[in-house]
Amino acid sequence: MRPLLLNLFLGLIWTALTGEFTSVNFGIGLAGGYILIFIFQGALFPNGSYHKKVFQVVYFFLYFFWELLLSNLRVAHEVLTPKFSMKPGIVGIPLDLKSDLEITILANLITLTPGTLSLDVSDDKKTLYVHSMYVTDVDSFRASIKNGFEKRVQELFQ
Amino acid sequence: MTLAAWVLYVILPLLSLALLFASYRVLKGPTIADRVVAVDLITTIGIAIIVCFAIVSKHTLFIDVAMVVALTGFLGTIAFAHYIEQQKG
Amino acid sequence: MLELNLRDTLSFISLLIGAVFIVIAGLGLYRMPDLFMRMSMTTKASTMGIGFIVIGVAIHFYADRPVVTKLIAIAIFILLTAPVSAHMLGRAGYRDALTKLWSGTWVDELHDQYNRRQHTLDSMDEAELAIANQKKPELT
Amino acid sequence: MNTLLVLPILVPFITAILCLFAWGHVVLQRWLSVTGTASLLVVGLMLLHTVNREGIQAIQIGSWAAPFGITVVVDLFSAIMVSITGLMGLLVVVYSLGSIDFERQRFGYYPLFCTLLMGVSGAFITGDLFNLYVWFEVLLISSFVLMALGGERRQLAGAIQYVVMNLISSSIFLAALGIVYSVTGTLNMADLALQIQQVQQPGIVTILAIMFLVAFGIKAAIFPLFFWLPASYDTPPIAVTAIFAALLTKVGVYALVRVFTLIFVQEMDGLREVMLASAALTMLVGVFGAASEYEFRRVLSFHIVSQIGYMLMGLALFTPLALAGTIYFLLHNILAKTNLFLISGVAQHLLGSYELKKMGGLYKSYPILGVLFLIPAFSLAGIPPLSGFWGKLLLVRAGLEIEQYLLVGVSLFVSIWTTYSMLKLWSEAFLKDSPQTDRPAQGLRQVGITLLLPIMILSLLTVLMGILAEPVVALTQRTASQLMNPSDYIQAVLKG
Amino acid sequence: MALIILLGFIVIPLIPLLHRWLGNQIGWVVSLLPFGLTLYFASYLGQISRTDKVLMATYEWVPSLGVNLSFRMDGLSLIFALTISGIGTLVFLYAGGYLKGDPNLGKFYVYLTFFMASMLGLVLANDILLLFVFWELTSIASYLLISYYHSEEASREAGKTALIVTGSGGLAMLAGLILLSIVTQTSTISDMFGQADAIQAHHLYIAILVLISLGAFAKSAQFPFHFWLPEAMEAPAPVSAFLHSATMVKAGIYLLARLHPILGGTAEWHWLITSIGGITMLVGGYLAWQQTDLKRILAYTTVSALGIITFLLGIGTKETIKAALLFFIVHAMYKAALFMVGGAIDHETGTRDIRGLGGLRSVMPITALGAALPALSMAGIPPLLGFFGKEVIYEGTQHADWAGLLTFAALLGNLFNVTAAGMVAIRPFWGELKATPHHAHEAPWMMWLGAVVLGIVSLGLGMVASAVLPLLQQGVEAVYGHEVGELHLGYAINLSLLLSLITLTGGIILYYGLEKLRPLVAPYDLGKRLGVAKGYHALMNGILKVANWEGRLIRHTHMRYYLLVIMGTLVITMGYVLISQARLGIDVKIGEIRFYEGVLALIIMIAAVAVTVAQSRLAAVTALGVVGFGVAIIFVLFGAPDLAMTQFAIEVLSVILFVLVLYRLPKFRTWKQRPSTTIRDAIFAGGVGLVMTVIVLAVISAPLNSRLTPYFAQASYVEAQGRNVVNVILVDFRGFDTMGEITVLAIAAIGVFGLLRLHEGKPLQRKIYRGFPSMILQTAIRYLVPILLLFSIFLLLRGHQEPGGGFVGGLVAAAAFALYGIAYDVAAARQALRVRPILVIASGLALAVASGLFSIPNNKTYMTSMWYDRNLPALGHVGTPFFFDVGVYLVVLGVMLLIIFNLAEQEETA
Amino acid sequence: MEVLLAIVIGVLYATGVYMILRRSLVKLILGLVLLGHATNLFIFTVGRLTHAAPPIMAEGEKVLLPPYSDPLPQALILTAIVIGFGVQAFAIVLLKRAYQTVKTDDFDTITVAH
Ligand code: NA
Ligand code: NA
């Protein structure tokens, strides 16, 4: 499943790059992608499967961009005003997500949101450590992550 | 004034300003990670300058350059990060 | 600005927003007191900034489909890679003994879980979470 | 014909590539490189034959007419140099078979050796100044690696100095190329010869000439740019030193001769005094350095410097006879000096040291080796009728003809001190009794034919080049007259 | 004639074989050669002496230089040739006895034959350069023979001294000979004879005369070069007899005689040659009788005799020339004989100190006879030939200008000879038999034969003196250059006879007063006072001191100072040109500088300065990265996208390299340097910068009229099928450059590989690297790697038309694998690549080379591009440049991976 | 801009030369890299600057129409950059090895070793 998707994805990128939206070109992109995936299959897909959730994806992205914009404005304010009002801290978030991909997406989303930064994942992949500029309360911070991004990522992959 | 001129006289100077800030951090540090963060930002600003320059020059070719910068710049940062960790061994 | 048509105006506004975000990222890098906050600022502000700039350029070259796709590719690529490099750098920075957390950093739950010798990182068990939840920031 | 002209580059290159494919199969690499170098020799001789008969040959790589593409041009000078490169390559590779340790062979010795030859040949046959830079870099990087390969302490120290000097030389060369293009709009050497006369800013041309003099002067190891050589040449395995001694500084000399006879002819007036002084000082510092040394290879290394002085002398005198002298000297020196290095390697093999104080007794135990040593040693000292004599004769005569008495005096004085050094080597390593009484005498048979054969051939050639000097002298004179009349060269390149 | 001369050289290789077969019997067999030669030359006696015939033979040798194998046998040559071969025969025999049992006897005969052949060549050469060749060969032979006992340091040193001294003279002579040939436009001696007037009028005449004389003086041990000859007595006796008395040391005299018709007859000649000869004669004689070593006495008398002959040649009248030649013959015979006797005594008794010798006539009667006859000849006692030798000398000096002075000088010189004759031939044999280290016996026949024969010949010729006249006549005419009228030799009562008597008496008195006189003159020891030998060694040591000083300087000077020298050379010369050439005409308008350009320039400059002041290595590396990045942006701004791409990619990889290498190295000491050093370096550096800035401004002041670019603009698409002109240049117009370039990369990678894997000549084990994996990175990488690879192929394929190409493509591909290696580990990345990087490199190089070969079957030059007519999907128009670019791609990929993988693996061992 | 670039080039040369005159080998190599940048920029500048006009033809054109940046210096610099990189890579590793073997970063100690 996932290899196939990746293959399509690569084919699309190829056509996008070459800028020639012809069937032949797409075919070549597919073939090229197939070859690449074939060669590096073992390295790329040791296990796991891929679930397709197009609508969730769209919704998810919209949500994400909104969050991104908001928090960007917040830090912009922080930088542009002379006084610092940060309450930074590093907080461990217990994870319900299981797969590497899910955790990675979550971590990256957190990082992309200004003010927060995924520092590390524990070796047993059960805790994500996040640095945030605004931790007024550890508990509620944890909850905001869990109810925000984590929930949505979970939905995406169910 | 055309868009190219606006880019030339507004956008590129702004980006240069950001470049100055970032350069300050490269020189100042204090830790190597700080410098790398700054270089990373410089790379990003570089990408911005290049794509904007495509407007100024009316040559879309420069966007390809930006792609190369984006792809390889990532490698640079990762490598740095990786070896900052290695140092602790 | 009067000489610009609507498309150019949109394009310019987008570019301007992007450029401002990038300047903010630069300023953040300049001003913020520790590595993690500098990273917090720059990784996203710049991502945001580059996003808007790419959009602005894409609007300008809207007719040139390969160019637009390339620009989108750049944006996506940055979106994909920026957090990964931030994570890597942040982790490395944290593990680097020279990196100092800002004095205002009031909680560090990672500290006790990370074994500097073995480079192992434990997760937080229930008990630790419970204790941690009691923490409140000191008022400064 | 067309293809023959690129073979000096392609033959060693393809050999190197095949060696890379044969990575891990040292025996195969050995055969490949012997075959490849032998082929290079054949190619060189064929070129020499062709050029000798039909005049200067030029081809345009990729069929792009000069000056737009890259021209390969072979005149007598080039053909001679390619031939000698092939010869030395073959002999030193054979010597390497028995002298380079297995580990070095395993880590790319042979392909590197071939790319070195490729770069050297390329430098000799290219007709394009930037392309010359490229081949220089090919031979330099090969030499860097060969010098450092093995990673012994002394090697690394030597290599660092060698690398640094050459990088600086390359920087100067490159910057000069930028200026060349900027003021003439061309890179083709023949075209450049014409365009440089149109340059309205003569000061710039002088600066260019100085830059080339310095850039190539570093590579050729002339005064005051020579010191990297004695600091580094005694550090790698002897076969490597030998091939370096044979070819590398000589490429620098070749380049100096080429640009100053073809391109900066006008600038010779202004730079001549500088070159004459540099030639004299190069001879002197080299020979004095050698006199102060008591290590076999270091003595020889300093003599490389000294003899570069003679070659520069010929260029600085700038008469057909003098240039013939330079070329003759070049050839003679390649044969004799390489041979001496090879012999020093055998001596080390037998006695376990290059330190003259610890050596001795070789003549008693291995009289044949002694004879083989005396031939190149006396030749280097200019003793007739060995090859060195004719080189000296040509240069001295050329100098006297144009009344450069002081320089001639210096060259003769240096010749005496060369004799002194050679006698020192002979006396210390061969004549005196070995101080190491505990070391069991090894038979010369244990040295192996791969070590002795190249030495024998070189000694034989040194003798032949002296006794049957006429063909060589005549050839160098024709070569010199070709160089002094660049119009043939220019025409051959630009006619299409 | 040439064959006869070559005969000696041809025989040489046979001698070691002969020695192996015949052992100690080799002596008399080898002697057949000189004996045969003697007969050969003797056969010309009649022809030459009777008919004025001059035999000539010329073979081309190096006609390009006008040097020919030109030989000439006239009276002078024949006198010398006969002496050489005749005495040679006796010495060859003698050596067989003297060195009997010596394992190196074969070698000895090789040298001796080599010498004889060379010496014959010298006296028969009719070409001054050919003569010089043989001249040098005799020096070499002499060297080899003097250092024959090479285990002895004294022998080695003596040989070296002899060679250096005669060699130095030889080089001066070479210069003189070349000048002579420049003046006369020939190097053939006989062609010069007619040009004497022109030569002597030439402004170079003095130089020629002095230079050639220097050579002759050094070779013939004339003052002040005489000191090498006594030192050369370290050689075995046959050598002393042959080379250092009879023949080789006469070469200088031969040369003066030979060139007398060309150079002689002038006041300069007279003064120079006569005075040097006279001084030598007196110094040699005076020093001779102060010696106690038999061979040294003989050596100094030889010096003296050489002085006499030179002196006579200097005077240059026909009488003195006659005297010189006759004395040459006389001296050769008696001195060779006496050296052989001396050798025999040494051989038999084990000592050469005359104070320890006496009464040997009883045990060595034949040797005593062999000594007596030559000694009588030496003392000038009739009826031996020596008598005439002395007579003609006085006859000559009496009739020259300054007759009184010259005659007195000759008398003194001869007087010493009489004394010396007594010392060597009477002292050891007469009186009481003294105990010696060896118990003396008569020498074997081979060792006395020579002396006896020479003595008898002296006697015989003395009794029939007219026998030598015909030859002497030809010799004198050859030297004098004109007919000289008929010569005479005979007994007559005249002033000469009186002088001879005075000489004899004085000599005898001196001989008897010797023991008393020696301590008297000791305080005025001329030998020590003059100290020429000391002077020579002091000179050599002085030069060696300079050399050692230089050697130390070079060994102990830091490389950095050399760099400073180079920078200084450049700055000063170029600065001088810039300042002195006002014509540079810098004419650049400051023009518009855009704000962002200014900022960029500023950032580059600040970063560059930051590199120099950075406190940590990685700080410097990051600053350097900023410089590179800035340069790349400049490339963007000025229309060089390909350049910018490459610069960016290379910059990233450079940073990785630096990080890989530097970060794990322990902290280094920082080197405190004195402020003065820093300032000095800063000034030099600033100078270089300033010069380069000025050059830029100067160069761009004139318009650039490129010959090439308009062509590229026209032909790039039409003829080379590419829209990206830079790429077309790289893979087609100047593809040859690129071929070299990828070779450089390949070699560098192999070099890195070798450096990392070989340490102190031994292989290092590859360390399996274990990093600190990040799950996040690994997950992201799985998606990024294919994208990067795809992008790299994209860059490769479209490079010919748009920015990109094999190089950047390869770099991006390498980046993909490098990322994979970081995220997982190197082993995984190697596995992902599947092929060894070195094979990727090899394939790339092979493809690049092969792409150029397609044109060859089509009869086009190498690398001529060939295009497939039809468009292929995705690839578009395919041609050989495309394959070339694929080769580049593979090479770059392989190179980067070879370097990065190995560096990363080595990390662990750092 | 040419004047400004000329100054930048001067500064790069000056800093590069200054660095290669230091005692530290690391600095030496950094200096060589700076010299490399200086040289590339030097060639670029003396090959004349043209604003924003890459020597690449637009789709459909058959010849390159002026104004365009001179492609030849670009190609030359590209070659020089790549060659410089190769040499630099080797030099860096040489430095590493030298450090590991000689145990010092001191250029003086290394070069006066006999
Ligand atoms: Na050399
Ligand atoms: Na040194």
Side-chain angles (χ1 to χ4, degrees), chain B residues 8-88:
Chain B
L8 199 56
Y9 294 114
V10 179
I11 305 296
L12 287 178
L14 274 176
L15 292 174
S16 318
L17 196 66
L19 213 49
L20 278 178
F21 288 132
S23 304
Y24 166 81
R25 189 52 70 195
V26 173
L27 303 183
K28 184 81 199 309
T31 67
I32 198 68
D34 288 296
R35 295 177 208 273
V36 178
V37 172
V39 170
D40 195 41
L41 180 60
I42 287 181
T43 314
T44 312
I45 299 170
I47 296 169
I49 290 179
I50 294 168
V51 292
C52 289
F53 198 71
I55 296 179
V56 176
S57 66
K58 301 177 181 62
H59 281 282
T60 55
L61 306 163
F62 289 110
I63 289 163
D64 298 61
V65 182
M67 287 186 81
V68 172
V69 179
L71 292 176
T72 53
F74 172 62
L75 170 63
T77 311
I78 295 292
F80 250 116
H82 186 64
Y83 285 97
I84 292 169
E85 282 186 352
Q86 294 298 296
Q87 182 199 27
K88 306 273 79 53

Side-chain angles (χ1 to χ4, degrees), chain D residues 161 227 231, chain E residues 553-559 562, chain F residues 111-112 114:
Chain D
Q161 309 190 50
F227 17 74
Chain E
L553 191 71
I554 289 176
R555 273 193 298 279
H556 295 297
T557 305
H558 304 315
M559 185 78 178
Y562 298 137
Chain F
T111 57
V112 182
H114 303 300

Side-chain angles (χ1 to χ4, degrees), chain A residues 9 15-21 61 64-65 68-69 72-73 75-76 78-84 86-94 104 107-127 129 131-133 135-139 142, chain C residues 21 24 27-28 31-34 36-37 39-41 43-48 52 65-66 69-70 73 78-80 82-84 86-88 90-91 94-95 101-102 104-110 113-114 119-124 128-129 132-133 135-140:
Chain A
F9 179 57
T15 37
L17 286 171
T18 52
E20 286 179 61
F21 284 94
F61 272 100
F64 166 67
F65 279 116
L68 191 60
L69 193 63
N72 254 307
L73 291 174
V75 297
E78 186 70 73
V79 170
L80 295 171
T81 54
K83 240 189 122 206
F84 290 147
M86 299 91 76
K87 295 263 179 291
I90 299 173
V91 177
I93 315 281
T104 302
N108 288 358
L109 291 176
I110 289 171
T111 302
L112 276 176
T113 322
T116 50
L117 174 69
S118 305
L119 278 182
D120 215 340
V121 182
S122 67
D123 297 342
D124 57 10
K125 300 176 188 170
K126 281 184 179 154
T127 308
Y129 293 94
H131 178 279
S132 172
M133 286 168 70
V135 191
T136 43
D137 177 352
V138 176
D139 207 10
R142 263 196 272 272
Chain C
F21 268 122
I24 288 169
L27 207 56
R31 280 200 66 198
M32 285 294 126
D34 77 6
F36 304 102
M37 282 185 272
M39 288 181 61
S40 282
M41 298 295 297
T43 318
K44 325 46 228 220
S46 68
T47 315
M48 203 67 194
F52 275 101
R65 214 166 27 196
T69 44
K70 275 181 221 167
I78 290 178
L79 222 54
L80 286 179
V84 178
H87 149 69
M88 289 297 287
R91 185 175 87 155
Y94 188 85
R95 291 178 179 191
L101 286 168
W102 182 48
T105 311
W106 66 275
V107 54
D108 181 0
E109 294 180 349
L110 180 52
Q113 308 299 331
Y114 177 56
H119 297 287
T120 53
L121 184 55
D122 293 338
S123 59
M124 295 179 76
E128 283 167 332
L129 277 172
N133 283 345
K135 282 188 188 167
K136 291 284 178 274
E138 296 154 32
L139 295 170
T140 47

Side-chain angles (χ1 to χ4, degrees), chain D residues 104-127:
Chain D
R104 283 187 174 87
Q105 297 194 16
R106 219 157 61 92
F107 282 97
Y109 177 81
Y110 293 109
L112 291 165
F113 192 93
C114 291
T115 51
L116 180 79
L117 296 185
M118 170 198 182
V120 170
S121 307
F124 289 144
I125 63 173
T126 186

Side-chain angles (χ1 to χ4, degrees), chain E residues 555-560 563-564 567 588 590 592-594 597-598 601 604-605 608 611-612 617 620 624 627-628 634-635 637-641 643 646-647 650-651 654 657-658 661 665-666 668 671 673 678 681-682 685 688-689 692-693 696-697 699-700 702-704 708-709 712-714 716-718 723-726 729-730 734 741 745 748 751-752 755-756 759-760 764 801 803 807 896 906-907 910, chain F residues 1-15 17-24 26-30 33-35 37 40-42 44-64 68-79 81-83 85-90 92-97 99-101 104-109 111-112 114:
Chain E
R555 273 193 298 279
H556 295 297
T557 305
H558 304 315
M559 185 78 178
R560 292 185 297 125
L563 295 176
L564 213 56
M567 293 304 153
V588 187
I590 301 280
E592 179 199 26
I593 297 175
R594 295 170 179 171
E597 291 174 348
I604 294 174
M605 289 191 280
V611 174
T612 66
R617 289 185 302 239
L624 195 62
V627 173
I634 288 179
F635 292 150
L637 299 184
F638 294 96
L643 213 45
T646 311
Q647 176 73 43
I650 287 276
E651 204 54 48
S654 296
L657 279 185
F658 269 113
V661 169
L665 292 186
F668 295 121
W671 305 99
Q673 284 174 327
T678 312
D681 293 349
V688 173
M692 295 313 283
T693 300
V696 172
L697 295 177
V699 168
I700 59 177
L704 162 57
L708 313 177
T709 304
F712 294 148
Q714 290 295 320
S716 182
Y717 186 74
V718 179
R723 290 200 161 82
N724 180 353
V725 183
V726 174
I729 294 176
L730 286 175
R734 299 186 66 89
E741 169 200 320
L745 275 185
V752 168
L755 264 185
L756 290 175
H759 180 65
E760 300 281 6
L764 289 175
Q801 310 303 330
F807 190 79
M896 294 301 163
Q906 282 296 305
E907 268 319 287
Chain F
M1 189 59 189
E2 280 85 349
V3 177
L4 196 55
L5 273 188
I7 295 167
V8 171
I9 290 164
V11 169
L12 286 176
Y13 270 112
T15 49
V17 169
Y18 181 79
M19 287 294 273
I20 62 173
L21 296 175
R22 301 300 89 204
R23 270 181 86 165
S24 155
V26 175
K27 292 190 175 182
L28 174 86
I29 291 202
L30 296 177
V33 178
L34 278 173
L35 277 188
H37 286 313
N40 293 338
L41 213 48
F42 178 88
F44 194 63
T45 309
V46 297
R48 304 302 188 279
L49 302 177
T50 309
H51 263 292
I56 298 175
M57 289 165 223
E59 195 79 27
E61 282 172 5
K62 289 201 179 312
V63 296
L64 186 61
Y68 51 81
S69 303
D70 193 338
L72 188 66
Q74 293 187 19
L76 302 186
I77 298 168
L78 228 152
T79 307
I81 290 177
V82 177
I83 288 176
F85 173 79
V87 175
Q88 180 194 322
F90 179 76
I92 294 175
V93 176
L94 183 63
L95 159 89
K96 173 193 166 94
R97 262 277 164 264
Y99 177 84
Q100 288 170 331
T101 313
T104 178
D105 173 41
D106 184 8
F107 195 22
D108 292 357
T109 313
T111 57
V112 182
H114 303 300

Side-chain angles (χ1 to χ4, degrees), chain E residues 323 325-334 373-374 376-393 454-469 472 489-491:
Chain E
L325 289 184
L326 186 62
F327 188 65
F328 161 76
I329 300 169
V330 171
H331 176 256
M333 290 198 293
Y334 75 67
L373 285 174
L376 292 175
S377 186
M378 181 175 177
I381 291 169
L384 284 106
L385 193 59
F387 168 76
F388 294 102
K390 209 144 292 181
E391 286 281 299
V392 291
I393 293 172
L454 286 170
I456 291 170
V457 173
S458 279
L459 184 64
L461 285 178
M463 294 200 281
V464 216
S466 57
V468 298
L469 271 178
L472 198 59
L489 275 183
Y491 298 97

Side-chain angles (χ1 to χ4, degrees), chain E residues 349-415:
Chain E
T349 66
T351 179
R352 300 195 306 234
D353 191 329
I354 53 168
R355 289 168 301 188
L357 292 167
L360 287 173
R361 73 178 189 286
S362 55
V363 284
M364 305 174 69
I366 311 180
T367 309
L369 176 70
L373 285 174
L376 292 175
S377 186
M378 181 175 177
I381 291 169
L384 284 106
L385 193 59
F387 168 76
F388 294 102
K390 209 144 292 181
E391 286 281 299
V392 291
I393 293 172
Y394 292 130
E395 215 169 289
T397 54
Q398 281 166 55
H399 296 101
D401 297 337
W402 303 71
L405 179 67
L406 298 179
T407 309
F408 180 67
L411 187 122
L412 270 182
N414 282 328
L415 195 143

